[in-house]
Amino acid sequence: MKGLLGRLLKKGAFAARPTCSAIIAAAGSSSRMGGENKLLMPLGGMPVLAHTLLAVERAEGVDEIVIAAREEELLTYAELCKVYGLRKPIKVIVGGATRMESVLRAALETRQDARLLAVQDGARPFVTPALFDAVVLRAAACDAAAPAVPVHDTIKTAQDGRVTGTPERSMLFAVQTPQVFDAGLLKAALQSALTDGVTLTDDCAAVERLGKAVYLTEGDEENIKITTPFDLLLAEAILRRREEGAAE
């Protein structure tokens, strides 16, 4: 981890820190995987979700984990936590029909003294404990933070197949998870969006909608989200590279 946040982490910045609950968004339909639950697909001999949970388990800034799941997978995910020896307090709750509903339901189930809520995609198995802790530290100072990486491709806006603009690439970032927020702020933002019938693609957008600033931290190119079969192939390549690096 580079920069000031990396130095803070090395110096034990969590000696006096706010309580943080991690919410794992794991109630999706995996429609772009053909309906098969991508979180239970094997990645290096372990389910995708197990990789994610073990990384969050090792994050120093996380005090508890709440998993939002589909009802039919409640017991499966609970058993997964036991099999892989997770020690932090864990709840597995029934998610909603949308990501926003699932995250809000999980947020309402977190411990009452949680000052921060960290929302993590269950399908991002390569998040590292150091990245997680860096975002928690940033959010502790500014109430809303997320990791992001610069966009390398030229992006076009279009309507009906016709290009309408070319945004300045230097201002574009691909946002990842965990996205970490003041607990009250996130709950209010999600409830507002749901009440108004607004569909949003991430939790930062819900907070931005209330006019609150979200601050970006340095993300990780390997912190990919597994959505399609191609992503799973890429994940296998990333895992092999990490394992080879660890063996050297």
Side-chain angles (χ1 to χ4, degrees):
M1 186 63 59
K2 301 176 182 178
L4 175 60
L5 286 173
R7 293 196 295 274
L8 286 173
L9 286 172
K10 291 178 182 178
K11 293 179 180 179
F14 287 110
R17 62 172 177 79
T19 304
C20 177
S21 297
I23 294 169
I24 311 298
S29 63
S30 298
S31 58
R32 282 172 283 185
M33 272 292 186
E36 184 178 355
N37 187 348
K38 62 189 177 186
L39 299 182
L40 297 177
M41 289 181 173
L43 175 60
M46 292 197 308
V48 169
L49 182 59
H51 288 274
T52 306
L53 290 172
L54 288 171
V56 179
E57 165 81 6
R58 292 192 293 268
E60 187 178 350
V62 173
D63 297 285
E64 73 164 344
I65 300 171
V66 180
I67 305 172
R70 292 188 292 187
E71 187 170 9
E72 61 269 27
E73 285 151 353
L74 289 175
L75 294 179
T76 300
Y77 290 171
E79 184 62 24
L80 195 69
C81 294
K82 292 180 182 179
V83 168
Y84 289 96
L86 273 69
R87 296 178 178 275
K88 288 181 178 176
I90 297 176
K91 294 180 184 177
V92 185
I93 63 102
V94 178
T98 66
R99 178 193 170 87
M100 285 195 303
E101 289 179 23
S102 293
V103 173
L104 181 56
R105 286 188 182 189
L108 295 174
E109 292 292 334
T110 57
R111 51 191 287 177
Q112 292 186 345
D113 64 343
R115 152 84 165 78
L116 298 175
L117 299 180
V119 185
Q120 169 67 21
D121 292 323
R124 288 189 189 269
F126 297 119
V127 64
T128 64
L131 175 62
F132 217 101
D133 287 339
V135 186
V136 169
L137 277 179
R138 189 72 176 104
C142 67
D143 289 342
V149 294
V151 171
H152 301 301
D153 295 330
T154 296
I155 303 298
K156 302 288 186 181
T157 59
Q159 185 172 9
D160 298 325
R162 182 177 68 85
V163 172
T164 58
T166 306
E168 174 57 46
R169 188 168 61 186
S170 64
M171 298 181 65
L172 297 177
F173 293 84
V175 179
Q176 304 173 337
T177 65
Q179 298 180 3
V180 188
F181 310 92
D182 172 85
L185 174 60
L186 179 61
K187 293 173 188 177
L190 292 172
Q191 186 61 67
S192 174
L194 288 169
T195 298
D196 293 344
V198 177
T199 300
L200 301 172
T201 57
D202 76 344
D203 304 290
C204 286
V207 169
E208 294 162 25
R209 183 173 172 270
L210 294 187
K212 303 297 183 179
V214 176
Y215 294 86
L216 299 181
T217 67
E218 182 182 359
D220 183 348
E221 295 282 0
E222 293 185 351
N223 185 21
I224 64 169
K225 183 178 181 182
I226 296 176
T227 302
T228 67
F230 176 78
D231 296 330
L232 196 57
L233 292 175
L234 179 58
E236 293 283 3
I238 292 172
L239 186 61
R240 283 196 300 271
R241 192 196 69 79
R242 284 192 174 187
E243 290 175 343
E244 289 168 0
E248 292 178 357

